Every structure is written in C-alpha cells, then in structure tokens.
Amino acid sequence: MSTGWRLTQYALNYKKIIIAALFMLSISVATDLAGPFIAKNIIDEHILGIESIWYQTTEGKNTAEYNEQFYKKEKNFSNGEEQGKEIRILQVGAKFVMVEDKLEFDGKRTFENGVITLQKGTEKVEYDAKELTTRELMAFYQLEIPGIMKLLIIYFCLLVISAIFQYGQRFLLQKSANRIIQKMREDVYGQIQRLPIQYFDNLPAGKVVARVTNDTEAIRELYVTVLAQFFTSAIYITGIYAALFILDVKLAAICLLLLPILYGWMLLYRKFASKYNHVIRSRISDINATINESIGGMSIIQAFRREKETEKEFEKLNTEHFTFQNKLLSLNALTSHNLVGVLRNLVFVAFIWYFGGQSLNPSSVISLGVLYAFVDYINRLFQPVQGIVNQLANLETALVAGERVFKLMDEQGENVSTERIERFQGNVEFDHVYFGYKEGEYVLKDIHFEAKQGQTVALVGHTGSGKSSIMNLLFRFYDCQKGKILIDGKDIVSIPRQTIRNHMGIVLQDPYLFTGTIASNVSLNEQSITREMVEKALKDVGADQVFKNLENGYDEPVIEKGSTLSSGQRQLISFARALAFNPAILILDEATSSIDTETEAIIQEAMDVLKKGRTTFIIAHRLSTIRNADLILVLDRGKIVERGTHEELMLVNGKYYQLYELQKGCAELTG
C-alpha cells in the first residue's frame, strides 16, 4: 500500500469534517470568482452601456432628457412599447458625441467639424454629430448609477460571504489535520508499546523519538498546508476554467495546456526532491540520536575530555543535513517561481496573439468587459498554480516522513493484552531451552532446571555467560528458538506477554525512574496500588530509614532517571516497586551490585520479606548475597555447568568454589 493512500486513509477517519470544509471552500471560491463577471457587467452594461441604441420616447422610468426630448435604451423597452427616433452616443477619444442616424457599422472613430467618421477596413462612413456637454452626458449616465450600485453591493456581499466561508474551511481543515496527527501519534506511540524489546536493541532512542515528533509534524504540514493549498487550488482552477469556457472556448482550450505541463513538472520535481528529502529526514533522525546519546553520557564525555570529538561527530551530521537542505533549496529556487513566471508569460503571449487576431477579423467584436474578465481570470489562474508549485517541497517532505512513520508502524508487533489470569503459584521449568539473539548463534544451550513455588534460584557466572538472557526469556522479552519454558505447567508462549508479566516483578542492576515523585515511581500510577500499599512496600524494604530526612517525604520530586538520587536510593525505590505489585515470580538482576555496603545490609534484611510466597531468581556477582539460595546454577558460555546449594557446590570444589574463593580473597585484601 502506497504512502499516499495510507495518509488518505487517515484523512478518511475525519471525512465529515473534511467534506464540510471542502463544501465551504467551494462556496468561497464560487463567490470569489464571481467578481470578474460582475466587473464585466459593470463595464459592458453600464460604463460602456451608454453606447447602446437609444430610442426617443415619452417621459417615464429609465428615460434621459436631452433637448427637451426623452430617450430610453433599447433593452429597457417592454414588449409592444412604441419606439421613436433612433440615436447613438459614441466615445471619440475623451469626447462623447451624439449621432441621430442609424449606424451601418462601427469601427475606428474620428470627429472633426461636427462630423464623425467610422472606418472599418477599406469601408468608411460619415455622420453628422454633436458633441455632448458634461451636463448632457450625465443625464444619460445617471440612469446607470443604480445598476452599478446594485452590482457593487452584490459584489461586496459576495466578498463577505467568501471571507466567512474561507475562514470556516481553513478552521475545519486545520481542525481535521490536528485530529489526524493526534491519532497518528497515538497510533505510533501505541505501536512502540507493541514492538518487542529486540527492536530497540538496534534502533537508538533518538531515532524513534524523531519519528514520533519530527516526522509526524512534517506530516501535519501535509494536512494543514499542502492539502489545503491543493484543494483550494484545484477548486479555484476548476472554477476559473469554467468561467474561461463561458467567456471564450478557444482561449480556455489553449489554457488547458497548463495542466499537463504542471503535472509533468511535479513528476520531474519529485524525482530529485525525494532523494534529497530521504537524506534530510535520515540526518535529522541521526542528529536526534546523537544529541540523546550525548546528553545521556555527558558525565562520561566531560570526564574523559571528549567534548571536541563529540562536537566533531555532531558537526559532520549537521553539515550533511545542511548540504542536502541547500540542494533542496536550490532546486526550489531555480524552478518554482521561475516555472510559474514562464508559464504566465506563455499564456499572456497566447492571449495577446488570440485577441490580436480577433481584432483583425471584421466580424468579431470583443467588448472591453470580456477583455478585462479574461485578464483578471488569467491572473487569478496563476495564483493557485503558484500555490501548488510552492507546496511541492512540503508535499515531498511529508511523503518521505510518512514513509518513515509507516515503516515503524509496519514492524511486526503484538497487541497489548488486557487479559488477566489468576495469580501464579510460581513453579517455573526451563525444558532444554536454546536461545540466540542472532539466528544460529546460541547464547543459551540446553538450559534445563526447575524452580518450585517459594524457592530462591541464583544464577552465577562470568559476564556473558547467559544469566540475564535466562531472565529475558522468562519475562518474554525474547522467545527461545528451541525447547520451552513452563510456568505452573503451562507453556508461556501460549500466554500473552502482558498477562504473564502481570504476576512477575523485576529489579534491574540499573533501575529506571520516571519523572514524578518517589511514591509515583513505586506505584507507577497503578490505580489498584493505594498510598498505604506504597508506604508499606517502602517500609518493608527499609526505605523509610533512607528517605526519612527528605523535606517532602515520599512526595519528593524525582526528575528523569532519578539523577538527583543516589544509586542505593534508586535501587530501594525499584525494590519497593517490585514488592508493591506483589508478584508471584520475582527477578533480581544483579540488584545489589551498585549499592553501598550500608544500603546492601538494609536490603539483605528485607530479602526474606520479599521472597516469602514468591519464586525468586537472583542474578548476582556478589556470591555472598546468595549463600541461602535453594538452588544455585553456575553458567559458563551459555551452559549450566554446576547446580546445587552453596554447601553442595563448595564441596564439589569446581567453578563455583573458585569464584567464591576468589571473591573472598579479594574482599579480605580490600578489607
């Protein structure tokens, strides 16, 4: 499915608002385009209408007095009304003269010594004529003033209507655009929740943020500006062509050549602009990722004096972005306004050629009003054309941004399940499990063990031995390639991920805190967890001793990642969070490795409370913290090489014994 069609589908969610906007736009355009027709009538019927045929009549409505006689325009006579002597009023230069004869034809006019000469080609006729004074002329013109005022009032009313409906259509289009982008951002963010953890292993957070913010904002411009301009222009162009065909079919047909030229230009423009925009959007994403990474690692950057090097990396990306922005700018500058200018000049050449040819044809008479209307409509025609051309850059940017957003939304995810099951008993079994982050490269090989309800299982081994991978599989952050994992005898693959995690808790080595308060970070704003439960959880893990001196207590503000708190304080909050959710299975992933000795003592005292009634998995480098574990699994290169209690493993005098003695020796040396 194309990007354009998918963007259209989003728009169709709010089709009622968009249809209402287009209806208002149509009315606005129709009332606006009526202007030249009204101007044509004012010129032809009223300003130049004085040159119509006049007949002598009796005094009455629509009559003008001249030399004590009354005259009325031919069109103002009713059926059966008697017409007297015919007269004509002709303009010659700045003068107006009266001819009391019927004209054979009209043509080039000259007036001298009371005689007006009309010449058309080789033909020439002369008539006696009398020059009219200003007062005499105004007697005839006064009849036109009511008609002119009526048309001007109509024109003003149409302008007011056009302005009202123009405001309405802009408001509705922008409202629909904002709603479309609101829904799109919600869908994108919802898709992020559906994506597996593995997806984020390969995509920096800054790039994801760029798609949710920058790219969707670029798409917003599509709905707010680009489509509004395209809709407006399309209706304007349709209306103008309709008016041109009413005025003159041949010239309107010549103007139709603009449409294939404009379409061809759009195809050519997109060919180059698409390439530039892909690079620009990609570099924006890279810049966001770099900034995000730099801010997160600013302490390391400054500690190791890498400010200049980091700045150079950023400058490289920024320069590439600048280069392609300039290429796109050059493309727009060289073509957009120039193209419209060339097209306008071509149309005016065709216009002058056409009307010039018409004027040489004796049988053709072109009124000044028609001439004015054509010039006005042709000028108006290039306003929407200019608008379309100017929005091509934004259109291409939005399509590229849409392509990037939909690529994220097309990633295979899993719907967030709201299904709930009864609390686990906590019996866990790994049945000959094989797993690798990359296909064919197993980091866990033939893992097989059982953890009974209420037992504590410890996982030990060197870095990279597979300890954390086992926990990733249990939490279904990843799924194993071979074997199966059972909880209470049920294969976890048959249970939705969110349903499994509803009865599991985890404490990571580097706990993550959200912006809020200490209390909100414990409950994570879960409505089922009351304030009393939060305070009890904090007390049970010994946090009341650590946070008792804080000014706001458990309502102390926490900024992003809890950077104002110590490692120990953050870890205590993480322990309390796991306890407050009352999980059946608890995972402690090197949870005490970054805690000072005093805080570790507090946590060790709370460990018995945490483990009661729960199956607990502990990943620890400090072997002293797992001496009381019911089962210790020793991993080496993805395999379980030893298993048993602390005492049993010490008697084996194997890998666990070596690790324990090594740590014990190091502790004595540091002591």
Side-chain angles (χ1 to χ4, degrees), residues 290-346:
T290 300
I291 293 173
N292 185 68
E293 186 179 52
S294 297
I295 292 174
M298 189 57 69
S299 58
I300 300 299
I301 291 172
Q302 293 185 359
F304 287 89
R305 304 177 303 282
R306 307 305 295 170
E307 293 92 344
K308 290 293 183 183
E309 286 73 15
T310 306
E311 187 177 344
K312 286 178 182 178
E313 291 175 8
F314 177 82
E315 188 177 338
K316 180 182 177 183
L317 292 173
N318 202 27
T319 300
E320 286 184 36
H321 177 264
F322 170 78
T323 301
F324 279 90
Q325 280 280 29
N326 271 357
K327 288 183 178 181
L328 187 61
L329 178 64
S330 299
L331 179 64
N332 294 333
L334 287 171
T335 52
S336 59
H337 294 286
N338 292 341
L339 172 74
V340 176
V342 170
L343 291 178
R344 180 187 285 112
N345 291 336
L346 288 174

Side-chain angles (χ1 to χ4, degrees), residues 440-454:
E441 298 180 15
Y442 293 121
V443 295
L444 294 178
K445 304 162 189 175
D446 197 26
I447 301 298
H448 181 77
F449 68 89
E450 290 185 43
K452 300 296 184 181
Q453 178 184 0

Side-chain angles (χ1 to χ4, degrees), residues 137-157:
L137 182 64
M138 286 306 297
F140 290 93
Y141 260 124
Q142 280 179 344
L143 300 177
E144 308 301 329
I145 293 176
I148 292 174
M149 292 303 297
K150 181 180 178 181
L151 288 174
L152 288 176
I153 290 171
I154 292 173
Y155 183 55
F156 177 76
C157 291

Side-chain angles (χ1 to χ4, degrees), residues 220-241:
R220 181 181 176 276
E221 282 300 307
L222 170 71
Y223 293 111
V224 172
T225 308
V226 179
L227 290 188
Q229 180 65 59
F230 274 53
F231 283 145
T232 305
S233 298
I235 294 175
Y236 257 102
I237 290 173
T238 302
I240 290 171
Y241 271 116

Side-chain angles (χ1 to χ4, degrees), residues 50 70 236 295 334 371 610 650:
I50 197 172
F70 294 92
Y236 257 102
I295 292 174
L334 287 171
L371 195 65
L610 276 168
M650 290 297 289

Side-chain angles (χ1 to χ4, degrees), residues 8 18 98 242 310 338 371 485 551 554 607 616:
T8 302
I18 294 174
M98 175 179 285
T310 306
N338 292 341
L371 195 65
I485 302 170
E551 182 180 352
Y554 296 144
M607 290 291 282
T616 306

Side-chain angles (χ1 to χ4, degrees), residues 507-509 511 567-575 591 594-595:
V507 179
L508 298 172
Q509 178 181 2
S567 297
Q569 289 173 325
R570 292 199 301 270
Q571 198 62 280
L572 282 172
I573 294 172
S574 185
F575 264 91
S594 60
I595 296 177

Side-chain angles (χ1 to χ4, degrees), residues 490-510:
K490 187 178 291 187
D491 191 341
I492 64 172
V493 177
S494 65
I495 308 172
R497 298 175 196 271
Q498 292 75 27
T499 305
I500 291 176
R501 296 166 189 163
N502 192 48
H503 299 299
M504 299 174 72
I506 189 168
V507 179
L508 298 172
Q509 178 181 2
D510 185 16

